[in-house]
Amino acid sequence: MSDPQTPVFEADGLRKVFRDFWGRPRTVAVDGLSLRAAPGEVVGLLGPNGSGKSTTIKMLLGLLRPSAGRVRLFGRDPRDPAARARVGYLPELSNLHKFLTPRETLAYYAGLFDIPAATRRKRVDALLERVGLAGTAADRPVGEFSKGMARRVGLAQALVNDPAFVVLDEPTSGLDPIGRREVKDLIVDLGRMGKTVLLSSHLLAEVSDVCTRVAILAAGRVRAEGRLADLLEERDRVRFTAAGLPDEAVPRVKDAIAAAGAASVAVDHPAATLEDFFLDVVGGAAK
Amino acid sequence: MKRALSVVFGVARTTLLEGLQQPAVLLLALSCMELTALQPVLQLHTFGEEGRLARDCGMAFFLVFGVLVSALVAGSGLAAEIRDGTAATALAKPAGRASFLAGKFLGALGVVAAFGWCSFWEVLLAVRTSEAVVETAKFYGAVRDSLCGLLSVGAPLAALALAAALDIRSRRRFGLWFFVFSAALLPLAAALLGFFDRTGAWTGAWSPGLDARLVPLGVLLFSLLAAFCALATALTTRLQTGSALALSFLVLFLGFLADGARGDWGAAGRLLYALVPDVQSFWLADELARGGRIAWRAVAGGCACALSWTVFALSLGYLSFRNKDL
């Protein structure tokens, strides 16, 4: 067990330069990035395409060798296999063996963690159930799957070792709105269970719904970082939400607020998100 | 150590399953088996050397198709995994790169072994099929063993049909089951033929009727294929399948030249001999002429040479793979 105070990962001055065949610098993908996460945090890595999110993740996992800087995973060099024993990783593309079935895929990855056979079988069944692939789909080759179904298998393989640190690179790509919501719920659950999550995405709503802290990357550098509530809070504005207030009472409340010294007062009805509305409609149709 | 072995076993098993499922591997194996089985029938100018031709052609098919299968499986096993990102997914788990590479090699070697087992039985049957002089109480003359020829051509086709039936009925893996049925049906056919003489007559007593002197040659060539499998695995840490295949055949070609070059090309020849495996020392088919045998000491020497080459190639592969960006 590692010290609970030890950051789950820490990157200091990380730089990655991709070179061409002759060793000449081709692209600076990450340039002096520093980032860390404490146990139990759900950290969002935001940025446009090509901002260095996936490269950063791969350096954190020891898949890419940094050109400069230092990375620690649970206080160890990520190239040490033992450092990765408590990590679950969902890559940007699902990257699955197309001739294997989901059950075989999960058994294969569980085998890399040396999980005992009995535990492995139970965990594989539970994960297939969790990602909605139990039944006949569990024994069909992954090569026959849609992108969304393959994504579910990818997600299950990332959780096969019951990881303490889960790295999700664009986890909802290829999923329909129901799948997206399930993944978001899963991330929230992981956070509640005390797991550390690093979520990379360029979908802002996705990150704001589930993350406690975000880092915004652009051109390989962290441009903004902090707790989501701190970054987004507008301290000079106050919002009240009231249920059951009659329409004729609204002007009086508005006047009272103005009289209390508010510079401006706006009144509207809160709207549900399109995602919530969609899920209600589809859920109703299913019933 | 236990975890490393678990990684090696898991990666090897997946590579083996995937390799046997590759349509190209199945086509190569089927082509090799059928060409070997048919060549005793297709020979035109044999000069009374039917058996020798069947043996030499069969073992040449075994070697050339084996090198093809090695490069293809190593390419689909490692180069494709690096390209498609499955290697990154596996290596983000507590799997060391050395264990991963060893697993990829062993899995590819498993595919080559499955190919080699089936192809070698075909060579044994082809040698029996080829025309030879038979002298019995009722018959004297040169005869081709038609029953053996029929079974050796039919066994892979039957394996194909059985695998297809299994796939249609219960969605079993077609490629894997083709190899399972071929590996079982060919020895079964050979065992059944033991009850028949070369004219196709039932003898009532079982005798092997196969040229067991080919076994040491098969072992030698398989050990050479293991070295080529290691070479292809090492090459595919940096190259795609096509390039690895081309380089494997270049090494095979240079390997055939190496022994002669050592004497004729001076320092360059000696350097070549030191760098590439001397394929001539594995190709001892000529020792079998006129009833000769290959000494097991020569087999042990060849296997040791192939093993050292395998270790050398895999070590270079590891050095190349150790710091590779995935």
Side-chain angles (χ1 to χ4, degrees):
Chain A
M1 290 293 288
S2 60
D3 179 355
Q5 298 307 313
T6 306
V8 172
F9 69 83
E10 49 183 332
D12 288 317
L14 216 51
R15 181 178 162 83
K16 180 65 188 177
V17 181
F18 288 108
R19 296 177 183 277
D20 67 9
F21 181 79
W22 305 106
R24 294 173 300 193
R26 187 163 43 93
T27 316
V28 180
V30 174
D31 191 8
L33 180 142
S34 296
L35 192 65
R36 67 191 59 210
E41 277 192 308
V42 180
V43 181
L45 208 53
L46 275 169
N49 292 334
S51 57
K53 302 187 298 289
S54 295
T55 304
T56 303
I57 284 176
K58 286 185 172 186
M59 284 192 284
L60 290 178
L61 296 172
L63 298 172
L64 291 179
R65 204 177 173 80
S67 307
R70 174 177 171 273
V71 192
R72 308 303 281 174
L73 189 59
F74 292 107
R76 309 168 83 145
D77 183 342
R79 295 174 68 79
D80 174 2
R84 304 191 296 267
R86 292 190 290 148
V87 178
Y89 169 50
L90 172 68
E92 190 176 1
L93 301 172
S94 295
N95 302 342
L96 300 165
H97 294 272
K98 60 182 178 178
F99 292 112
L100 298 183
T101 65
R103 194 182 299 284
E104 288 167 339
T105 302
L106 297 189
Y108 165 55
Y109 287 119
L112 301 182
F113 288 97
D114 199 21
I115 298 169
T119 315
R120 194 185 308 174
R121 272 194 296 276
K122 277 185 201 157
R123 199 170 288 171
V124 166
D125 287 341
L127 280 169
L128 287 170
E129 187 76 41
R130 167 122 212 198
V131 298
L133 289 175
T136 52
D139 297 307
R140 275 171 52 199
V142 172
E144 296 177 3
F145 281 8
S146 67
K147 197 177 170 193
M149 285 172 83
R151 203 68 186 144
R152 288 165 188 267
V153 182
L155 199 59
Q157 68 76 24
L159 302 174
V160 79
N161 58 324
D162 189 20
F165 175 37
V166 188
V167 182
L168 304 171
D169 197 351
E170 306 287 359
T172 56
S173 83
L175 292 179
D176 59 21
I178 299 169
R180 279 170 192 260
R181 170 54 75 91
E182 285 170 358
V183 170
K184 281 203 288 191
D185 291 346
L186 175 73
I187 297 169
V188 171
D189 283 352
L190 290 171
R192 283 197 193 120
M193 288 156 69
K195 315 269 187 199
T196 309
V197 180
L198 179 63
L199 168 67
S200 159
S201 179
H202 56 260
L203 300 176
L204 308 183
E206 189 172 272
V207 173
S208 73
D209 285 351
V210 296
C211 293
T212 51
R213 195 158 69 81
V214 294
I216 299 175
L217 269 65
R221 292 183 180 191
V222 176
R223 306 289 170 164
E225 189 201 346
R227 285 172 46 79
L228 199 62
D230 297 340
L231 291 177
L232 301 183
E233 189 180 46
E234 296 177 72
R235 295 203 63 84
D236 57 342
R237 293 163 75 91
V238 178
R239 179 161 64 187
F240 301 94
T241 307
L245 190 69
D247 283 352
E248 57 273 19
V250 173
R252 277 185 279 133
V253 174
K254 198 175 167 185
D255 292 344
I257 293 171
S264 65
V265 184
V267 177
D268 62 6
H269 293 282
T273 63
L274 181 59
E275 183 186 76
D276 288 335
F277 182 67
F278 175 89
L279 293 173
D280 276 351
V281 171
V282 173
K287 284 172 194 165
Chain B
M1 185 65 187
K2 186 168 167 273
R3 180 181 280 170
L5 285 176
S6 168
V7 169
V8 171
F9 175 75
V11 173
R13 185 177 174 278
T14 304
T15 308
L16 176 66
L17 273 179
E18 280 219 316
L20 293 177
Q21 280 297 106
Q22 298 285 336
V25 170
L26 187 149
L27 281 175
L28 283 173
L30 187 64
S31 305
C32 180
M33 284 191 267
E34 291 299 344
L35 279 172
T36 305
L38 286 170
Q39 47 95 8
V41 186
L42 301 176
Q43 290 164 8
L44 294 176
H45 304 290
T46 58
F47 305 107
E49 299 243 49
E50 289 84 355
R52 184 176 179 174
L53 273 174
R55 184 181 68 216
D56 287 2
C57 282
M59 293 317 281
F61 286 142
F62 179 93
L63 179 61
V64 173
F65 277 87
V67 173
L68 268 170
V69 169
S70 301
L72 196 76
V73 175
S76 61
L78 189 56
E81 281 224 34
I82 293 170
R83 187 188 60 227
D84 298 341
T86 42
T89 308
L91 289 168
K93 305 195 181 326
R97 293 196 179 200
S99 310
F100 184 79
L101 193 70
K104 296 310 293 181
F105 164 69
L106 289 175
L109 189 63
V111 178
V112 176
F115 159 84
W117 171 264
C118 299
S119 301
F120 185 69
W121 278 103
E122 281 288 9
V123 178
L124 289 173
L125 293 175
V127 172
R128 176 171 167 153
T129 304
S130 59
E131 204 170 84
V133 173
V134 171
E135 187 176 358
T136 65
K138 295 177 185 170
F139 180 85
Y140 176 80
V143 67
R144 189 174 282 143
D145 191 336
S146 304
L147 180 63
C148 181
L150 198 68
L151 288 177
S152 61
V153 171
L157 298 179
L160 212 56
L162 287 169
L166 211 57
D167 187 26
I168 292 165
R169 272 180 64 90
S170 50
R171 298 179 65 89
R172 297 296 181 94
R173 291 189 167 91
F174 180 69
L176 171 69
W177 283 97
F178 165 73
F179 277 100
V180 169
F181 283 127
S182 293
L185 286 178
L186 285 162
L188 196 67
L192 190 67
L193 285 164
F195 291 105
F196 297 87
D197 66 17
R198 292 178 70 93
T199 64
W202 174 263
T203 58
W206 191 83
S207 83
L210 299 175
D211 190 353
R213 296 174 309 139
L214 283 171
V215 174
L217 182 60
V219 172
L220 266 175
L221 290 184
F222 178 72
S223 70
L224 182 63
L225 286 183
F228 271 96
C229 193
L231 173 70
T233 303
L235 288 171
T236 48
T237 57
R238 294 281 164 174
L239 302 174
Q240 289 301 312
T241 311
S243 311
L245 187 64
L247 281 172
S248 294
F249 272 97
L250 178 67
V251 171
L252 180 69
F253 175 70
L254 292 174
F256 270 115
L257 291 182
D259 192 38
R262 184 169 54 156
D264 301 340
W265 295 4
R270 287 194 294 279
L271 182 66
L272 179 68
Y273 188 81
L275 286 179
V276 300
D278 173 16
V279 177
Q280 299 280 5
S281 64
F282 293 86
W283 186 262
L284 298 182
D286 291 344
E287 300 281 323
L288 302 177
R290 290 178 293 281
R293 287 181 176 277
I294 297 171
W296 281 105
R297 187 182 296 172
V299 176
C303 287
C305 175
L307 181 66
S308 58
W309 227 84
T310 301
V311 172
F312 173 65
L314 286 177
S315 304
L316 288 181
Y318 175 65
L319 288 177
S320 155
F321 190 55
R322 189 176 53 167
N323 290 326
K324 184 173 174 59
D325 283 345
L326 295 170

